């Protein structure tokens, strides 16, 4: 693998890198994850935002989400960014069991309304 030099423009930044192709690819992937987790990139508006990143519900984000929702007034919404596919199933089950509403899901973005 040779050295690589590159430039990538995103909506919010200009990324310049040098080094191995693997390091360059990792830097681009990290920048893309950061851009995806930006609340401004959410496909819907919400009162609050939480980025679970790539953690599955077994790694703790469901407890954090529950704590955040408990602190919200009834009717307010929490937008969640979570890339682990298990979150789709676990979050839907949790909202049904807790009485909250999973309003929308678009890819790795979820919108939960407090009951």
């Amino acid at each position: 693998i040779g050295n690589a030099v590159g430039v990538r423009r995103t909506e919010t930044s200009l990324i310049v890198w040098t080094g191995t192709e693997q390091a360059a690819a990792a830097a681009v992937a990290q920048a893309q994850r950061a851009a995806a987790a930006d609340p401004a990139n959410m496909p819907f508006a919400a009162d609050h935002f939480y980025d679970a990143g790539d953690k599955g519900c077994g790694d703790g984000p469901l407890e954090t989400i529950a704590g955040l929702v408990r602190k919200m007034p009834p009717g307010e919404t929490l937008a969640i960014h979570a890339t682990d596919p298990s979150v789709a199933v676990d979050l839907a089950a949790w909202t049904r069991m807790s009485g909250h509403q999973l309003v929308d899901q678009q890819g790795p973005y979820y919108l939960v309304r407090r009951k």
Side-chain angles (χ1 to χ4, degrees):
I1 296 176
N3 286 341
V5 176
V7 176
R8 178 172 171 85
R9 182 172 172 30
T10 68
E11 288 185 34
T12 58
S13 61
L14 181 64
I15 303 164
V16 179
W17 69 86
T18 62
T20 66
E21 291 173 11
Q22 282 181 321
V28 169
Q30 182 179 6
Q32 289 171 333
R33 284 191 302 275
D38 185 342
N41 293 329
M42 295 296 287
F44 30 72
D47 300 300
H48 307 276
F49 175 76
Y50 172 66
D51 179 21
D54 62 355
K55 295 179 187 172
C57 286
D59 296 323
L62 197 54
E63 289 82 18
T64 303
I65 291 166
L68 292 169
V69 170
R70 273 193 300 271
K71 294 177 184 177
M72 295 173 9
E76 284 195 351
T77 55
L78 174 66
I80 301 159
H81 172 255
T83 59
D84 186 288
S86 69
V87 172
V89 175
D90 293 341
L91 187 60
W94 175 77
T95 55
R96 280 192 309 272
M97 291 173 23
S98 63
H100 302 299
Q101 180 185 10
L102 180 56
V103 177
D104 198 357
Q105 176 192 353
Q106 295 183 28
Y109 303 102
Y110 304 84
L111 184 64
V112 172
R113 177 171 286 118
R114 187 181 195 283
K115 64 176 179 178

